[in-house]
């Protein structure tokens, strides 16, 4: 198993476990967290930890798929709050010392499909 | 360069080029295309080709990041129609013969951030 996979799994496991000590060790001091959908950016380990600690709701993360290559990882995460479920696509960059220095999160929301392709699709 | 990377790049290049012959060769006959946000599913190469051929707008795809491992690829794609831009997160599965047999597309949309985290984030 690659170091990148181990680090990426530990990243999600420590979030899920609210294991802030382990998460701290996994993050570079200058980690940058980006959410392109809202154009929000958080810079630095302290603020990023606080963001996660303060994030509302009893959220849980299940890694549905993890693809790693070199020092990059892409995760498809199944996030749950109670009965609610949302997929997330998360892109991690890991530095030479094995710390996560960039996280980019996408949180796609459900929507109704546009008309005009009913002849091709089925809904499930 | 891995076969998976070559196949994934060819997948996006053939879409961008509207090179339907090359795309056809890259797709398994029973390819399944899924859009979890709308719970839509398209089954089979012919319907999937037609879906792309009929997709409205002069769309263009730029692969911003591609992470490959084994026979899986994750792509962060910058999709453009004129001045409009949208990120997509796309997950590919490739079979033993080198054909794409599953494509899962996420198309996250922009939104305004919730209140309560202004002390941690900057917007760009």
């Amino acid at each position: 198993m690659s170091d990148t996979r181990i680090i990426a799994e530990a990243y999600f496991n420590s979030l899920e476990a609210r294991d802030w000590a382990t998460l701290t060790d996994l993050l570079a001091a200058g980690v940058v967290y980006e959410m392109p959908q809202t154009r929000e950016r958080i810079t630095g380990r302290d603020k990023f930890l606080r963001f996660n600690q303060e994030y509302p709701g009893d959220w849980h993360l299940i890694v549905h798929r993890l693809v790693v290559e070199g020092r990059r990882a892409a995760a498809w995460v199944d996030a749950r709050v109670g009965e609610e479920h949302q997929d997330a696509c998360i892109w991690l960059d890991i530095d030479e010392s094995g710390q996560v220095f960039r996280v980019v999160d996408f949180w796609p929301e459900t929507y109704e499909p546009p008309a005009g392709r009913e002849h091709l699709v089925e809904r499930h």
Side-chain angles (χ1 to χ4, degrees), chain A:
Chain A
M1 197 152 61
S2 76
D3 285 352
T4 299
R5 176 168 290 273
I6 290 168
I7 293 161
E9 289 180 347
Y11 171 81
F12 292 107
N13 288 341
S14 65
L15 278 170
E16 170 62 18
R18 278 66 165 166
D19 178 352
W20 309 119
T22 298
L23 183 59
T24 298
D25 290 344
L26 289 166
L27 297 173
V31 62
V32 174
Y33 174 68
E34 290 179 297
M35 291 169 280
Q37 290 166 275
T38 56
R39 298 178 289 103
E40 288 174 293
R41 180 187 291 136
I42 294 171
T43 303
R45 185 162 53 197
D46 295 345
K47 283 187 178 170
F48 182 53
L49 278 165
R50 196 163 155 196
F51 173 77
N52 284 292
Q53 288 164 345
E54 294 180 1
Y55 203 91
D58 182 28
W59 47 269
H60 293 281
L61 306 177
I62 300 159
V63 177
H64 178 69
R65 181 180 292 212
L66 182 62
V67 182
V68 303
E69 182 183 26
R71 289 203 299 267
R72 287 180 160 178
W76 170 356
V77 172
D78 173 353
R80 291 171 190 239
V81 177
E83 296 296 303
E84 274 188 63
H85 146 87
Q86 190 174 9
D87 290 303
C89 298
I90 297 172
W91 305 83
L92 301 179
D93 284 295
I94 293 161
D95 66 20
E96 288 180 26
S97 71
Q99 288 184 310
V100 177
F101 71 92
R102 189 167 176 236
V103 180
V104 181
D105 271 22
F106 289 101
W107 290 87
E109 303 210 45
T110 58
Y111 62 93
E112 283 303 300
R117 59 200 199 197
E118 302 83 352
H119 56 304
L120 301 171
V121 308
E122 53 180 339
R123 300 201 61 199
H124 59 91

